[in-house]
Amino acid sequence: MESSASGDGSSAADAATAAAAASSSSGPSTSAPAFSAGGVAGPSATHYLAKRVLHGSAVQHVARGRFRSEHLWEIVLCKETSLELVVVGEDGVLQSICEQSTFGIIKDVGVLDWRFKQFGIWPEIEGKEILVLLSDSGKLSLLYFSCQMHSSAWVAISAYEDAFAFVHVGKSPHVYGPNREIVERANIMHVVYKTSDIRGTVWSMCFMRTRCSMDEYYPVVAMIINRKGSDVNELSVYALAANDGGIQHLSSFSEPGPLALDISEIPQLDGFALLFRAGDILFVDLREPKDICCTIRISITGSLIGGQISVEDSCRGLDVDDDVAACALLELRDSGNNIMMDDNYMAIDGVDNAGSMKSRIICSWSWEPDAVRGRPRLIFCLDDGEFHTLEFNWDIEGVKVLPERVHRGLPCRPLLWMNRGMIAGFVEMGDGMILQLEHGRLVHKSAVQNVGPILDLAIADYHGEKQDQMFSCCGMCPEGSLRVIRNGINVEKLLRTEPIYQGVTGLWTLRMKRTDTYHSFVILAFVEETRVLSVGLSFNDISDAVGFQPDVCTLACGLIADGLLVQIHSKGVKLCLPTTYAHPEGAPLTSPVSVVWYPDVTISVGAVGQNMVAVATSNPCCLYILRVRSLSSFQYELYETQHVQLQYEVSCISIPEEDSKLRTVSSAVGGGDVRKRKGNNLAAKVDVRMFAVIGTHKPSVEVVSLEPEEAFRLLSIGSMSVNNAFGAPISGCIPENVRFVASERFYILAGLRNGMLLRFESDTSKDHYFPGSFYKDSFTPCVNTPLQLIAIRHIGITPVGLVALRDSANADIIVLSDRSWLLHASRHSLAYSSISFLPASHVTPVSSVDCPSGLLFVAENCLHLVEMVHGKRLNAQKFSIGGTPRKVLYHSDSRTLLVMRTGLTGASCSSDIVQIDPNNGILLSRFKCEPGETARCIQIAKIGSEQVLIVGTSKSNDHPMMPNGEAESIKGRLIVLSLDTLGSPRESSSFIPTSNLSSSSHTGSFPEIVGYATEELSSNSMCSSPDDVCYNQIQLEQMTGHLRSLTHVTFAGAVLAVYPYLDRYVLAAAGNTLCVFGFVNENPHRMKKYAVSRTRFTITCLKTYASRIAVGDCRDGLLFYSYNESLRKLELIYADPAQRLVGDVALLNCETAVVSDRCGSISVLSCPRLEVSESPEKNLAVHCSFFMGEIAMSIQKAAFRYRLPIDNETDPVLESAYNCVVASTMLGSVFVLIPLTSEEHYLLQDVQERLSVHQLTAPLLGNDHAEFRRRGIPSGVPSILDGDMLVQFLELTSEQQQTVLDAAPSGKGPPRSISIFQVMRTLERVHYALN
């Protein structure tokens, strides 16, 4: 999306860097590791970069419109701090197009129908609808979809208290000179009309089509206003007076009864509206805005399961005036002040199954978009999960309302009625759903995954096998679940062969005919061998029936014509016609037909296109073009049509798909002005030369003409002048693969042998897709058009391979180097996401009946058949766990998960701790809390040689603390459970290592294991099929044992936090009391209290590092304690300098902690470098902070290697690499904090300041970026760098990057010189480390 007012914020963060780092998942260490010995403290570790690696999935608002094209309906999901553009397929599966951060908090959303109203002022928005957003910036943002990054109208807004405004959006006229030349072109303009006399807060509003003359009042808006101190909301009508431009109050209406909550105009019934109240719906007549009346009341309080809501007639009959003019207006609803909602920020910590609203309230509704004329339909959802439809029929007798109950499920907010009768419902703390209205009932089509809120997470340290699973507690009862979230784009593994494919040099799949839906052959090339296999879930060798020469290494192959395959090897080019044994449509002969063309020299590279073959030789450097002709039945000839000697050797060749190229040209030339497109078939007038793209040893990328009637000619050339800047030798910059890509504009990708990926483009005229030299019939002089180097990215250190997902010039591309990536072809610059799979040497798309969207990888000497299908937006497996999962720990010895659950509905207990096999959801063992008892916290501890699980409980399901932060008088227990009898998963369910995430162990001496994080924990473009969303129930019948209780202690308060300490103690916090427990003679059965200390308010979390104890409470923030063993006394060492409602805390070392609060911020605090004073209370120093805009519920220390593959492997790993932090939030986001050196921080801070004001990267919602990220941060405290802002730099072209760096931040004098290479190298290092 792009802002028409404040520029583009689109970086499409899903295509940029994402991360998941190794973490302490079972409970941090109890002693300091040898490598740090006190850690990296103070100023040496105070610079951080925060990057969101998983966007939140909780949807607050939804909008439907034509944002990219007038022919395509799309949906925008607003997730408070990000926007996601999606489409819904015919199968009901939600497919993600792109997602981006907003750098602000979205409050409300609407759609402005700009189509066909203004032409000639902004071609990018003609034919599109505009997304309108209200946000915390206090500004109204109008956004349009930008492919570069990813009459008049009225808008009514109420972003204020006691006020609202009309915004008139139109265009300014052209300014003409004396000779009627355009001096200044028309532009978008707006006029604001504001009133401040409504004396209340607007809860809801909508425009109305009334009988008022437009010359008198226009527009007219009806709104629900909440007056301070009033128990009843008022319906008021305001209008803009045409004579003086003032806003006038026309009338007010108040019907005795429940509280009015929302209002909506009824489509097609001009002047009528529905007033939604708590318990009923009023049908209101507003045709005469000064005389409002209610005609029908629809009661929703008495509906039972299977029953219908009741409709009661009121005042008088109705008729509809067809002459009332329709207005294309926007409705914006401000629901932020809905007092019916429970906005208590502590509710997430309290009672499960608490009612969120009063009974029988409409929580969401939506109108049918393509309703039958005169019969509008509404669907709404009640807070108890009932779905109803209302159909309004108008006839000569008036309006009749036909209610119908269509579904019962989970309450949804918001709700959206889409095309083809499909309805999208989004659940607040669970998975949403796509429903289909069929025969008066809603049928479930697919699920919309939502991992929010993430209450806790654990990252597996799987014994050096570099796992990338993140185990998270998601959702709340009844939708609580355990999710296994993995990195990158998900692939479903279907088949893996034995490791018998050593030395593979090439891999291709071929069809028998170009029109075939499925592939027929898999070709495997080895160093001195070629094999042909049949396509399917099993691979059979059919080499003899195809005709390929088996004793050579195939350089390239392809389908030259229907039924004719071509093999290129170093000695020649072989044309083959397979037999019927290889394919049913092959030749009915005993052996395949073949013909060979031999050159005089050795062939080095080649490519096959439609009716042509291109091959190149190295000595001499020549390029040959071959074609095929039929001599008789089953008799063909390969003959040379052209050849040319070149100055440099050819390193690779690519021939674009002919049909894809022409389709793209047709689309591009037919684009632009919507008025010109209608009725014109411009595709027939386009005649583009046949061409190929070659890479040379110059090094360069060149486009050459392959027209048979013309002489061989060079159409365009792109030289690689960036080699020395990146410090690479010329030999390493030779293209390994090149590919033509057709998107909004054509470009060429070049993958180099040194691991770099380049994008080239060419300037074209406004009305042409290609440069003039590409067209056969063109008045443009046929001169060589230079290709401009647009973007550079470092993929790895091995040669880069480029493989399209399908036979189309606009297909997404798999990029192979050190690992596998998916490049998004339609995106600006170079945008790619990691693929959740092993590093592979070769890949090819494969389509069969059993696997229509498959990929065949060569990795670890095996063939891997996987499927990558649009559908699953999150790469996560779900286990429906029952109740609310509150805490999760990974037990490395048994390779299982320990999960604490609350809100269970069983009669025996409402809370328990279960051991689960993370591979299949089998429940292995269980500990039940006593009836009425609720588990509050768990941690793993080591007592002597035995591992135990420490459990803190409360003897009530109520909130453990009062609103003022003091503890409730609720008793609790500290329970010690034995882990020695834990069951282990079966061998068949062991993990299959696929990536490289690691974490710290919670046992022993806290050995920190350095691993790699991942670029994307979620997938936004390519995913698994909806059937693979794995909604698995925890299998109770498989349980083999019980967790055994060893001992317990009762407290006067609820035990909300426990933690191991120094390998021999256990800390427990009950209410505001902090206790130290030990075990006599290391006997877990004999627990003894050694020390007690008290805070002013309830303690919510505990963490330890060596001898340091970090305590977080609900008011005084973070407190540092130490324990004096000789005196058996807890001593307060440092206190938080500010009041803070702590969410969670992680200790990086003895002196530094990272803490989150319930206001959406995260801060790094450490002990000041001062002499110790006599006062027991000294303030911690706040070194840096960052406003996330989301509440972090879980923080864990993590580790990764901060090194590029081209860096010196002998360099020691930086100590700061161990001081990374992973934080999960209520909205389902995951952030990673990365430590930076002072030099890196200084460099990136300058870049961030420039990006935050550049028109392509500035915040979408009009926020001041620095103000937003510093919200709630004390003056003088440095801000943590924003990785989401910085990563946009990687999405820009080289020219745009230079423009950003050349710009001077306002008020700071001339900019200091910054090298693009320096910035790219730093960001690429962070990018690679997070992958």
Side-chain angles (χ1 to χ4, degrees):
M1 291 290 177
E2 184 168 313
S3 170
S4 60
S6 57
D8 185 305
S10 86
S11 68
D14 57 301
T17 65
S23 174
S24 305
S25 56
S26 310
S29 86
T30 55
S31 62
F35 71 85
S36 59
V40 183
S44 63
T46 58
H47 300 300
Y48 280 86
L49 178 148
K51 177 71 180 70
R52 190 203 319 259
V53 299
L54 178 65
H55 280 280
S57 54
V59 178
Q60 277 79 40
H61 307 279
V62 61
R64 174 179 175 269
R66 294 181 170 98
F67 302 112
R68 289 190 300 165
S69 167
E70 62 173 304
H71 307 293
L72 180 63
W73 284 104
E74 292 159 320
I75 298 170
V76 171
L77 306 181
C78 303
K79 298 182 283 189
E80 192 158 311
T81 57
S82 66
L83 293 172
E84 184 179 7
L85 182 68
V86 301
V87 296
V88 179
E90 294 184 358
D91 55 356
V93 176
L94 212 63
Q95 301 172 11
S96 182
I97 304 300
C98 66
E99 185 168 7
Q100 66 187 92
S101 298
T102 58
F103 306 104
I105 298 175
I106 300 169
K107 298 298 185 182
D108 206 359
V109 63
V111 177
L112 181 64
D113 190 354
W114 186 264
R115 298 172 301 145
F116 317 121
K117 294 185 178 296
Q118 307 290 350
F119 294 100
I121 61 171
W122 206 334
E124 290 87 349
I125 65 175
E126 291 179 7
K128 302 177 183 178
E129 292 180 307
I130 304 298
L131 187 70
V132 185
L133 295 174
L134 278 177
S135 68
D136 60 342
S137 68
K139 300 176 182 178
L140 186 71
S141 303
L142 276 67
L143 310 180
Y144 72 94
F145 183 84
S146 171
C147 295
Q148 191 181 71
M149 287 292 292
H150 251 351
S151 153
S152 62
W154 285 92
V155 180
I157 62 173
S158 178
Y160 340 91
E161 190 171 337
D162 297 326
F164 81 96
F166 288 112
V167 181
H168 180 216
V169 183
K171 75 167 186 176
S172 61
H174 292 305
V175 178
Y176 296 95
N179 299 321
R180 298 300 295 169
E181 73 276 11
I182 297 178
V183 177
E184 182 179 341
R185 300 192 66 84
N187 204 349
I188 294 178
M189 59 171 290
H190 69 274
V191 181
V192 179
Y193 304 88
K194 182 177 178 182
T195 182
S196 58
D197 61 352
I198 62 174
R199 300 184 304 281
T201 302
V202 176
W203 281 19
S204 178
M205 64 171 66
C206 69
F207 284 108
M208 296 300 303
R209 303 168 180 83
T210 69
R211 290 174 175 172
C212 293
S213 170
M214 293 180 62
D215 296 333
E216 183 181 4
Y217 297 112
Y218 183 80
V220 178
V221 64
M223 59 180 62
I224 296 174
I225 300 176
N226 174 252
R227 311 289 186 186
K228 292 183 177 65
S230 174
D231 295 332
V232 179
N233 287 345
E234 181 182 279
L235 172 61
S236 296
V237 179
Y238 288 83
L240 188 67
N243 54 358
D244 59 1
I247 298 178
Q248 294 188 11
H249 176 254
L250 300 184
S251 63
S252 296
F253 172 81
S254 180
E255 180 83 1
L259 189 68
L261 305 174
D262 213 341
I263 188 171
S264 172
E265 185 185 29
I266 302 177
Q268 303 184 29
L269 299 183
D270 296 342
F272 296 103
L274 292 182
L275 186 64
F276 301 99
R277 305 196 302 178
D280 65 14
I281 305 171
L282 301 184
F283 188 91
V284 182
D285 185 355
L286 289 158
R287 290 176 297 174
E288 296 293 343
K290 295 183 179 180
D291 182 20
I292 305 173
C293 64
C294 170
T295 58
I296 298 176
R297 177 179 177 271
I298 305 169
S299 174
I300 58 176
T301 57
S303 175
L304 301 174
I305 298 178
Q308 294 291 334
I309 60 178
S310 60
V311 180
E312 305 169 3
D313 290 331
S314 185
C315 309
R316 55 185 173 85
L318 304 176
D319 59 339
V320 177
D321 188 352
D322 289 332
D323 297 329
V324 178
C327 306
L329 302 175
L330 168 72
E331 173 197 356
L332 277 175
R333 297 180 294 112
D334 185 4
S335 57
N337 294 305
N338 193 337
I339 63 173
M340 301 302 296
M341 299 293 294
D342 182 7
D343 292 328
N344 185 358
Y345 55 79
M346 300 301 296
I348 195 72
D349 303 314
V351 182
D352 299 285
N353 299 318
S356 61
M357 301 179 69
K358 296 179 181 179
S359 179
R360 311 300 292 177
I361 291 176
I362 295 176
C363 55
S364 59
W365 50 268
S366 182
W367 292 99
E368 184 180 13
D370 301 314
V372 178
R373 177 69 178 171
R375 298 175 60 184
R377 283 199 299 175
L378 173 82
I379 186 168
F380 63 88
C381 176
L382 298 173
D383 60 332
D384 61 359
E386 279 194 17
F387 288 75
H388 295 264
T389 60
L390 294 178
E391 182 175 325
F392 299 86
N393 288 342
W394 171 69
D395 54 28
I396 58 175
E397 297 180 358
V399 174
K400 294 183 176 62
V401 182
L402 304 177
E404 186 175 13
R405 179 180 177 274
V406 293
H407 185 67
R408 185 175 180 87
L410 294 171
C412 295
R413 54 177 73 85
L415 196 66
L416 180 66
W417 200 328
M418 304 175 292
N419 292 340
R420 303 186 298 275
M422 284 191 286
I423 295 158
F426 300 91
V427 180
E428 284 188 331
M429 294 190 182
D431 286 339
M433 63 204 80
I434 304 295
L435 306 170
Q436 179 88 46
L437 186 59
E438 296 179 356
H439 310 295
R441 288 292 179 267
L442 288 179
V443 179
H444 187 275
K445 297 285 289 185
S446 67
V448 181
Q449 287 205 75
N450 172 25
V451 299
I454 300 179
L455 302 179
D456 194 23
L457 60 85
I459 305 175
D461 169 20
Y462 198 61
H463 304 286
E465 293 190 7
K466 299 179 181 179
Q467 286 300 312
D468 63 345
Q469 283 91 351
M470 175 182 289
F471 307 104
S472 59
C473 296
C474 300
M476 294 188 70
C477 183
E479 280 294 290
S481 62
L482 179 68
R483 311 272 179 148
V484 186
I485 305 174
R486 297 181 175 89
N487 73 298
I489 296 169
N490 182 62
V491 294
E492 179 68 17
K493 303 172 183 64
L494 302 178
L495 176 67
R496 174 176 176 170
T497 67
E498 295 296 323
I500 58 175
Y501 295 95
Q502 295 90 352
V504 175
T505 61
L507 177 67
W508 304 268
T509 49
L510 301 179
R511 291 178 170 85
M512 189 64 173
K513 293 183 178 179
R514 292 188 179 274
T515 56
D516 286 352
T517 303
Y518 304 117
H519 290 103
S520 301
F521 312 104
V522 176
I523 290 84
L524 278 165
F526 300 87
V527 177
E528 295 180 348
E529 182 187 6
T530 294
R531 296 172 61 185
V532 182
L533 309 178
S534 61
V535 170
L537 289 179
S538 60
F539 300 106
N540 300 316
D541 195 322
I542 53 172
S543 302
D544 294 338
V546 172
F548 276 21
Q549 189 167 334
D551 57 350
V552 296
C553 174
T554 298
L555 302 176
C557 60
L559 180 68
I560 192 171
D562 286 349
L564 297 178
L565 310 182
V566 169
Q567 178 192 24
I568 302 174
H569 54 88
S570 60
K571 302 299 182 182
V573 179
K574 188 173 186 179
L575 178 72
C576 304
L577 177 60
T579 67
T580 53
Y581 178 79
H583 193 277
E585 298 185 16
L589 305 172
T590 57
S591 60
V593 175
S594 62
V595 60
V596 184
W597 176 84
Y598 294 103
D600 297 330
V601 292
T602 300
I603 297 174
S604 56
V605 293
V608 181
Q610 186 171 354
N611 198 32
M612 74 173 68
V613 177
V615 294
T617 60
S618 56
N619 189 17
C621 301
C622 294
L623 181 65
Y624 295 85
I625 306 301
L626 310 178
R627 298 186 184 275
V628 63
R629 58 190 171 202
S630 175
L631 302 179
S632 62
S633 179
F634 303 127
Q635 295 294 321
Y636 300 92
E637 179 187 11
L638 270 174
Y639 64 98
E640 176 187 327
T641 60
Q642 294 171 291
H643 85 271
V644 64
Q645 187 165 350
L646 304 175
Q647 185 177 1
Y648 297 96
E649 182 181 350
V650 176
S651 61
C652 52
I653 305 175
S654 174
I655 302 177
E657 291 289 329
E658 183 70 15
D659 54 346
S660 299
K661 181 185 66 176
L662 293 180
R663 283 200 305 269
T664 304
V665 173
S666 171
S667 173
V669 176
D673 195 326
V674 290
R675 297 166 298 177
K676 296 178 182 179
R677 292 203 298 267
K678 297 182 178 180
N680 293 335
N681 183 11
L682 300 181
K685 302 177 183 179
V686 177
D687 197 359
V688 180
R689 287 184 172 90
M690 301 174 66
F691 61 89
V693 183
I694 63 174
T696 74
H697 284 245
K698 183 180 180 180
S700 65
V701 172
E702 302 177 4
V703 182
V704 295
S705 173
L706 301 182
E707 280 298 318
E709 297 86 5
E710 296 181 353
F712 190 90
R713 56 177 301 173
L714 182 65
L715 301 179
S716 190
I717 183 172
S719 298
M720 299 175 189
S721 59
V722 299
N723 306 320
N724 294 332
F726 276 80
I730 295 295
S731 59
C733 295
I734 296 172
E736 176 74 11
N737 272 274
V738 290
R739 183 165 184 86
F740 167 82
V741 182
S743 184
E744 292 292 326
R745 58 184 304 166
F746 92 90
Y747 61 91
I748 292 171
L749 290 175
L752 308 187
R753 292 181 180 177
N754 62 1
M756 295 175 63
L757 180 64
L758 280 61
R759 171 168 169 162
F760 292 90
E761 291 182 5
S762 177
D763 290 332
T764 59
S765 62
K766 180 179 179 182
D767 298 326
H768 289 82
Y769 185 75
F770 290 107
S773 59
F774 281 63
Y775 296 93
K776 293 181 183 179
D777 302 321
S778 174
F779 296 103
T780 304
C782 294
V783 296
N784 296 340
T785 305
L787 292 170
Q788 297 179 357
L789 181 59
I790 298 300
I792 310 169
R793 294 296 297 273
H794 215 297
I795 298 296
I797 59 174
T798 57
V800 177
L802 304 173
V803 179
L805 282 181
R806 62 183 188 277
D807 297 331
S808 173
N810 61 0
D812 288 347
I813 296 170
I814 295 178
V815 181
L816 295 180
S817 185
D818 297 353
R819 63 193 63 170
S820 303
W821 309 86
L822 181 71
L823 185 138
H824 311 286
S826 61
R827 299 275 286 280
H828 186 56
S829 187
L830 292 173
Y832 49 85
S833 303
S834 64
I835 297 175
S836 181
F837 195 69
L838 296 167
S841 60
H842 298 83
V843 66
T844 185
V846 58
S847 178
S848 64
V849 176
D850 301 311
C851 182
S853 302
L855 290 172
L856 195 61
F857 284 93
V858 177
E860 297 181 339
N861 299 325
C862 303
L863 292 182
H864 301 260
L865 179 62
V866 303
E867 188 170 18
M868 186 187 299
V869 183
H870 285 283
K872 204 165 68 173
R873 297 164 49 248
L874 296 175
N875 187 357
Q877 184 180 15
K878 174 183 177 181
F879 296 108
S880 294
I881 199 170
T884 300
R886 297 282 182 175
K887 298 290 182 181
V888 59
L889 303 175
Y890 178 73
H891 187 246
S892 58
D893 289 356
S894 64
R895 303 179 184 180
T896 58
L897 300 176
L898 297 170
V899 181
M900 185 187 82
R901 302 188 296 177
T902 63
L904 302 178
T905 57
S908 59
C909 70
S910 61
S911 180
D912 65 5
I913 291 91
V914 293
Q915 181 199 12
I916 297 172
D917 182 351
N919 303 283
N920 47 35
I922 292 178
L923 194 151
L924 302 174
S925 56
R926 181 184 188 190
F927 173 79
K928 296 181 181 180
C929 294
E930 295 178 352
E933 186 177 36
T934 301
R936 296 292 184 180
C937 52
I938 55 174
Q939 284 295 339
I940 296 174
K942 190 173 184 180
I943 308 302
S945 60
E946 184 175 353
Q947 281 191 340
V948 296
L949 182 68
I950 309 298
V951 182
T953 73
S954 66
K955 288 287 190 175
S956 172
N957 291 328
D958 296 332
H959 290 292
M961 69 186 76
M962 293 183 282
N964 63 0
E966 296 181 3
E968 292 280 4
S969 57
I970 300 173
K971 290 186 177 182
R973 287 199 301 163
L974 181 66
I975 307 171
V976 180
L977 305 179
S978 174
L979 296 182
D980 288 347
T981 59
L982 283 185
S984 297
R986 294 172 296 183
E987 292 297 326
S988 60
S989 63
S990 60
F991 285 129
I992 298 176
T994 59
S995 189
N996 48 17
L997 188 62
S998 68
S999 85
S1000 306
S1001 172
H1002 278 208
T1003 61
S1005 59
F1006 194 54
E1008 303 246 30
I1009 297 179
V1010 180
Y1012 294 98
T1014 56
E1015 188 240 346
E1016 279 289 352
L1017 295 182
S1018 66
S1019 164
N1020 284 318
S1021 61
M1022 305 294 292
C1023 314
S1024 284
S1025 63
D1027 295 332
D1028 300 327
V1029 182
C1030 296
Y1031 292 92
N1032 302 323
Q1033 296 288 339
I1034 296 299
Q1035 303 172 39
L1036 294 175
E1037 68 277 4
Q1038 303 274 352
M1039 187 171 65
T1040 59
H1042 292 275
L1043 295 170
R1044 181 168 52 92
S1045 174
L1046 301 178
T1047 185
H1048 73 271
V1049 176
T1050 302
F1051 288 82
V1055 181
L1056 300 183
V1058 295
Y1059 219 78
Y1061 182 57
L1062 294 177
D1063 285 341
R1064 53 189 177 273
Y1065 300 105
V1066 170
L1067 301 175
N1072 67 334
T1073 303
L1074 176 63
C1075 302
V1076 179
F1077 287 88
F1079 296 86
V1080 179
N1081 298 325
E1082 296 185 347
N1083 184 350
H1085 296 270
R1086 301 180 62 187
M1087 188 162 54
K1088 180 180 179 181
K1089 184 187 296 184
Y1090 287 116
V1092 176
S1093 182
R1094 286 180 171 81
T1095 62
R1096 295 199 303 165
F1097 300 100
T1098 304
I1099 299 172
T1100 58
C1101 60
L1102 284 174
K1103 293 290 174 68
T1104 66
Y1105 189 100
S1107 61
R1108 178 70 69 237
I1109 301 170
V1111 176
D1113 79 1
C1114 62
R1115 283 294 183 272
D1116 283 340
L1118 184 63
L1119 308 172
F1120 273 15
Y1121 282 84
S1122 67
Y1123 176 60
N1124 190 320
E1125 292 187 89
S1126 60
L1127 300 177
R1128 293 188 177 181
K1129 181 180 179 181
L1130 283 166
E1131 298 176 345
L1132 176 63
I1133 305 301
Y1134 292 102
D1136 202 317
Q1139 284 197 333
R1140 193 189 314 267
L1141 177 52
V1142 175
D1144 199 8
V1145 63
L1147 276 170
L1148 304 182
N1149 49 61
C1150 289
E1151 300 182 358
T1152 307
V1154 178
V1155 60
S1156 67
D1157 60 42
R1158 295 294 180 96
C1159 296
S1161 295
I1162 192 166
S1163 303
V1164 179
L1165 286 74
S1166 67
C1167 306
R1169 296 286 187 176
L1170 299 173
E1171 295 296 330
V1172 178
S1173 66
E1174 297 299 327
S1175 171
E1177 293 192 18
K1178 292 176 60 179
N1179 284 343
L1180 294 164
V1182 182
H1183 283 292
C1184 52
S1185 295
F1186 183 78
F1187 179 71
M1188 298 182 293
E1190 305 178 32
I1191 299 173
M1193 296 297 296
S1194 175
I1195 299 180
Q1196 298 192 26
K1197 185 179 177 181
F1200 64 87
R1201 297 185 67 180
Y1202 195 75
R1203 175 186 293 138
L1204 282 172
I1206 60 175
D1207 291 338
N1208 187 354
E1209 286 292 331
T1210 62
D1211 292 340
V1213 178
L1214 297 176
E1215 287 187 353
S1216 61
Y1218 294 92
N1219 289 334
C1220 301
V1221 174
V1222 178
S1224 60
T1225 74
M1226 292 279 292
L1227 295 180
S1229 299
V1230 176
F1231 286 82
V1232 172
L1233 268 65
I1234 310 163
L1236 301 175
T1237 65
S1238 297
E1239 293 76 12
E1240 290 170 334
H1241 180 269
Y1242 182 57
L1243 172 69
L1244 296 182
Q1245 188 176 38
D1246 271 4
V1247 177
Q1248 177 176 292
E1249 291 178 1
R1250 290 162 167 80
L1251 287 169
S1252 64
V1253 296
H1254 190 270
Q1255 61 177 356
L1256 291 178
T1257 53
L1260 273 179
L1261 304 178
N1263 296 73
D1264 180 280
H1265 178 263
E1267 183 278 330
F1268 176 71
R1269 289 307 188 192
R1270 291 187 53 83
R1271 190 167 298 172
I1273 299 175
S1275 177
V1277 176
S1279 177
I1280 295 173
L1281 294 182
D1282 188 350
D1284 289 333
M1285 176 62 70
L1286 286 167
V1287 81
Q1288 295 181 105
F1289 190 84
L1290 299 176
E1291 301 287 330
L1292 300 175
T1293 66
S1294 299
E1295 181 180 356
Q1296 292 166 344
Q1297 289 172 347
Q1298 190 62 58
T1299 302
V1300 169
L1301 298 183
D1302 290 342
S1306 59
K1308 294 195 175 184
R1312 72 183 183 99
S1313 177
I1314 301 177
S1315 165
I1316 288 184
F1317 166 70
Q1318 188 180 10
V1319 177
M1320 289 290 291
R1321 185 63 172 267
T1322 304
L1323 290 177
E1324 289 282 8
R1325 181 180 286 112
V1326 173
H1327 179 214
Y1328 198 88
L1330 291 176
N1331 283 274

